């Protein structure tokens, strides 16, 4: 049977009558029509499922691409926020240290009254570069043209308040700081120990003056500490205040060990520098 | 000019329709009645005698009339009866090719299609309607065979 024979007038008559019948049927609002309509919808859904599936895949792909983009952007924002948080923490720590150090220095000045009262100013600065040449230095972003002009030979502290070094060269907008770890660095320190007089059962504080010299990395030694001084590990060595560069009471290093069994008049004291050299982003200059 | 046989057939169709209107319905189940579809038998006879085209039109309007007066939802019997007219009208086209049994199968299959379609469109598809569809198809088929033997002397289905 040829296909053209199917499309004769009988076929058209049937087709037209079916179309009219269906139009009439679907125009009535009975429960049976609604049921049939639901079935038709199911069949249409089944027939169009491949198309829907195909479109879904495309949509998912597009959505995935958009999500990937937004994920990258979110990650960038996140890392930015993390950086801000770290910076914020560091600055907060700086503020706390600054207020603490200012208090200590003011007290010291009031108690001592030995010298003329000196107004102390903590100048915050950012470390811009770090040299690893023959002498260990860092570059900071303040100099002569700063609101508080920087000079040479000013004490530099880290954000925890530990001694970091001193300014050795000052430019208009930047300065070079010699670190405490540099082999040519030396600073006068004092260590306060408790001495118990067994006869009188009396306790007195003994202040011993010495000299801090760096050795390797964050370690150093204290020279000139008398053998009569009882140093225990953990004792903090502070700047003595004898020098014109460093004010008194700046924490310098922590005692690791003290050895009196030698042929020298002084004991061998090994110390660890308190400043954290791994996170040198901000510093203070004592003006 | 309209043929006298058309007028005769039209009047006979009116008579058949009136008989169909008053033909008693038998309750099979709750809300499920069986009524002998005399119009279906008449359309079958017309299809075998006159062929597809004219009977599809008659079946459409006859079914539509049946929908409007008996059933109430338009488009159900007009659709199913048009399909029956098309299928059974094939016997007119292929009378010389198809055997008597093939013609019987065509008629019975058309009746089954008729009642499956009408049942689906009115009540939906369910297994419980299978006996109803079978009875509704079988009874008119038997009546058609009786009509063929008594009135047409077996000439409706012949090679």
């Amino acid at each position: 049977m040829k296909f053209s024979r199917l499309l004769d007038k009988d076929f058209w008559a049937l087709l037209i009558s079916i179309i009219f019948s269906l139009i009439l049927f679907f125009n009535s609002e009975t429960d049976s029509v609604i049921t049939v309509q639901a079935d038709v919808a199911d069949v249409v859904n089944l027939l169009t499922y491949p198309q829907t599936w195909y479109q879904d895949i495309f949509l998912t792909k597009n959505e995935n691409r958009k999500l990937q983009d937004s994920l990258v952007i979110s990650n960038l924002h996140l890392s930015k926020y993390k950086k801000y948080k770290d910076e914020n923490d560091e600055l907060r720590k700086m503020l706390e240290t600054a207020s603490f150090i200012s208090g200590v220095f003011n007290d010291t000045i009031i108690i001592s009254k030995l010298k003329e009262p000196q107004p102390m100013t903590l100048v915050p600065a950012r470390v811009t570069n770090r040299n690893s040449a023959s002498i260990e230095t860092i570059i900071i972003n303040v100099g002569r043209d700063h609101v508080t002009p920087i000079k040479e030979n000013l004490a530099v502290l880290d954000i925890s308040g530990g001694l970091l070094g001193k300014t050795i060269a000052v430019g208009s907008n930047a300065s070079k700081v010699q670190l405490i770890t540099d082999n040519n660095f030396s600073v006068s320190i004092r260590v306060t120990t408790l001495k118990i007089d067994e006869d009188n059962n009396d306790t007195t504080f003994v202040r011993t003056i010495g000299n801090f010299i760096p050795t390797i990395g964050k370690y150093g030694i204290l020279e000139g500490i008398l053998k009569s001084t009882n140093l225990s590990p953990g004792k903090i060595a502070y700047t003595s205040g004898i020098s014109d560069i460093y004010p008194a009471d700046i924490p310098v290093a922590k005692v690791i060990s003290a050895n009196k069994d030698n042929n020298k008049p002084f004991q061998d004291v090994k110390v660890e520098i308190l400043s954290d050299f791994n996170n040198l982003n901000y510093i203070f200059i004592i003006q | 000019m309209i043929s006298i046989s058309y007028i005769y057939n039209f009047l006979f169709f009116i008579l058949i329709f009136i008989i169909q209107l008053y033909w008693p319905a038998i309750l099979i189940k709750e809300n499920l009645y069986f009524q002998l579809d005399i119009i279906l038998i008449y359309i079958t006879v017309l299809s075998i005698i006159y062929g597809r085209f004219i009977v599809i039109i008659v079946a459409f309007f006859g079914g539509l009339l049946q929908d409007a007066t008996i059933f109430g939802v338009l488009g159900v019997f007009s659709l199913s009866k048009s399909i029956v007219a098309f299928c059974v009208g094939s016997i007119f086209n292929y009378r010389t090719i198809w055997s008597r049994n093939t013609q019987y199968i065509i008629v019975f299959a058309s009746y089954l299609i008729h009642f499956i379609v009408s049942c689906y469109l009115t009540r939906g598809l369910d297994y419980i309607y299978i006996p109803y569809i079978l009875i509704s198809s079988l009874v008119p088929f038997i009546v058609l065979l009786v009509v063929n033997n008594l009135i047409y002397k077996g000439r409706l289905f012949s090679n």
Side-chain angles (χ1 to χ4, degrees), chain B residues 34-55:
Chain B
F34 165 70
Q35 190 183 28
L36 180 65
D37 199 337
I38 304 165
I39 297 172
L40 181 67
I41 299 165
Y42 180 63
I43 283 166
T44 310
V45 173
L46 286 179
S47 301
I48 294 168
I49 295 168
Y50 294 104
R52 280 172 175 169
F53 181 71
I54 191 72
V55 185

Side-chain angles (χ1 to χ4, degrees), chain A residues 220-223 225 231 255-259 267-271:
Chain A
I221 54 167
L222 299 184
E223 284 183 343
I225 305 294
L231 278 180
V255 175
I256 299 170
S257 65
N259 181 26
Q267 50 182 307
D268 299 329
V269 184
K270 287 180 182 173
V271 290

Side-chain angles (χ1 to χ4, degrees), chain A residues 10 17 21 24-25 32 39, chain B residues 52-53 64 74 78 120-122:
Chain A
D10 300 348
S17 55
S21 301
L24 289 167
F25 178 75
S32 58
D39 288 345
Chain B
R52 280 172 175 169
F53 181 71
L64 205 62
L74 294 177
S78 59
Y120 170 66
L121 292 179
T122 53

